[in-house]
Amino acid sequence: MGDFDFQVIINSLPFLWQGLQLSLWLTFLAIIGGLAFGTLLALARLSGIRTLAFVAAGYVNLIRSIPLILVIFWFYFLVPLALGRPVGGFQSALIAFVMFEAAYYSEIMRAGIQSVRKGQVHAGQASGLGYWQIQRYIVLPQAFRNMIPILVTQGIILFQDTSLVFVVSLRDFMTASSIVARTEGRLVEMYLFAALVYFVICFAGSMLVRYLKGRMAT
Amino acid sequence: MIEIKNISKWYGAFQVLDNCSSSVSKGEVVVVCGPSGSGKSTLIKCVNGLEPVNQGNITVDGQEVTAKNTNLTKLRSRIGMVFQHFELYPHMSVLENLCLAQEKVLKRSREEAVSRAEALIERVGLSEHIGKFPSQLSGGQQQRVAIARSLAMDPIAMLFDEPTSALDPEMINEVLDVMVELAKEGMTMMVVTHEMGFAKKVADRVVFMDEGRIVEDRPTDDFFGNPESERARDFLSKILNH
C-alpha cells in the first residue's frame, strides 16, 4: 500500500462530484415519485374495491419478484417504444426506479395506513369529510409520520441501488469512479474511496433513522 | 328527529342487533345503557351510518340513513358524534381540530372557522389550550375539545358513544357538566353511557339493551323507579350499589 495515490482522487473530484449529483438527484426524484405512486397503490389495496385491490397487489408482487436491473433494462427499451420516440437514459431510469420503488413504498405505506386507528376514520366520517379528504388530512399524515424511519431506510437502499444505472450508460457516482479507476489504473484507490463515500452517506442516513426513531418513542 | 325501525345486524353468524326500534324527538335526551356487549355502541354507530345495518331502516331529520341514494356525507356533517377514545387528530392543534371540517365540509372561511372555534373552546373552558396538541391535554380536556369540535359543525343532534368510559374518575364530571349544559339548552342527544347520575339528571328516556335487543324504552323516572325486566333490575343493582 506504499504507493497509495491520493492525488488521483483529488484530481478526479469534480468528475466524481458530477456522478454523485446524478446519484443523489435520481434518488431524490425516485423517492418522491415512488412514494406518491406507492401511496396510491397502498390506497388501492386497502380500498375494499376487489378489482382495484387485486390489480395493485398483482403489480406489487410482480415487481417485487423481478431484479431491479431487469426493470431498468425493460424501461430503457419499452418507454421509447410506448412513446414512439427515444427518451434519455436518465428519464427511463427514473421511470424504472419510480415503478420499482413504488412497490416497496406501497407496502410501507400500507402498514402505515393500517397503523392509524379506525376511530380516526370514524371521526372524519362523522364530521362529514369525504374519503379523499379523510385520507389527505387525517390518515396519510399520520401514516407517513409513523413510517418515516422505514421510509428513510428504504431511501438509503434506493441510493445504493442507483449504482445499477451503469447498464443504461448513465454516469452515476459508481460509474464515474469506475471510469477513473480504469483509465488511471488506480482500482484500489478509487474503489476504496467509492466505498467510503457510500458508507458516509448511508451511515449518516442510518443515524438519521435512529434519531427519528428515538424522537418518535418519546 | 331520529327514528330507528326494526334494525338487525350481524357480524358473520353473530347477531349484534336484533330487531331494535326506538326514536329520539327534537330536543329530547335519550340515554342508552346495558351490559357490555349488548350492542349499544353498535346501535349508536348505525344512526349516522358508521356501521351499516342488514335489516330495517333509520331516518334522521326525515332522511333515510340506510337508503342507498342518501348523501350520507352531507347528512353526517349535520350530526355530531363524540367517541369513547376522543379521536382528536393527534397531528393537529386544538384549533385545527375544530377548524378542519368547518372549512372542508361547511366551506367556512378561515376567519369564520377560527372565531367559531375560539367561541366553543371558551365555552368548554379551554381557551388557554387552543394552540396545544391533543397529547398535551388530559383525557377530560381532550373529550371537551372533541365535544367542541362536534358543536363547531352546528349539529341538529349529538351522538355520544360512552364519552366518559375511557376517563379517569376525577375527570368524568368536567365532561358530564358540559353535556348537562348542552342538554339543558335543548340539544337533541342520544347518549350511550353507564353514568346513571347523568341519566337521572337530564335524560327524558332510558333505553336498556341486552344481547342485541332493546329490553326497555321508558321515561327515566319509570325506568329507575320501577324497571320492568329482571335484566334491567339486575343491571341497575350491579351498578348502583357502590
Side-chain angles (χ1 to χ4, degrees), chain B residues 183-204:
Chain B
K184 286 185 174 157
E185 284 169 15
M187 176 61 80
T188 307
M189 292 163 68
M190 187 169 175
V191 186
V192 173
T193 185
H194 289 135
E195 296 296 330
M196 291 302 120
F198 172 80
K200 282 179 181 165
K201 203 180 210 171
V202 296
D204 297 298

Side-chain angles (χ1 to χ4, degrees), chain A residues 115-188:
Chain A
S115 75
V116 178
R117 295 153 46 103
K118 204 180 166 202
Q120 290 282 305
V121 176
H122 278 168
Q125 286 177 329
S127 65
L129 291 165
Y131 173 80
W132 288 106
Q133 290 176 318
I134 291 172
Q135 298 305 325
R136 174 164 169 211
Y137 299 111
I138 301 171
V139 176
L140 291 179
Q142 293 184 58
F144 187 73
R145 251 167 224 232
N146 295 347
M147 290 297 127
I148 278 180
I150 308 174
L151 292 171
V152 175
T153 304
Q154 184 66 30
I156 296 170
I157 299 170
L158 169 57
F159 173 64
Q160 294 170 4
D161 285 349
T162 56
S163 59
L164 291 174
V165 295
F166 75 89
V167 297
V168 292
S169 351
L170 277 184
R171 199 181 294 157
D172 71 312
F173 178 67
M174 189 60 223
T175 311
S177 305
S178 297
I179 291 172
V180 177
R182 275 183 278 111
T183 52
E184 301 286 332
R186 289 291 177 180
L187 299 177
V188 175

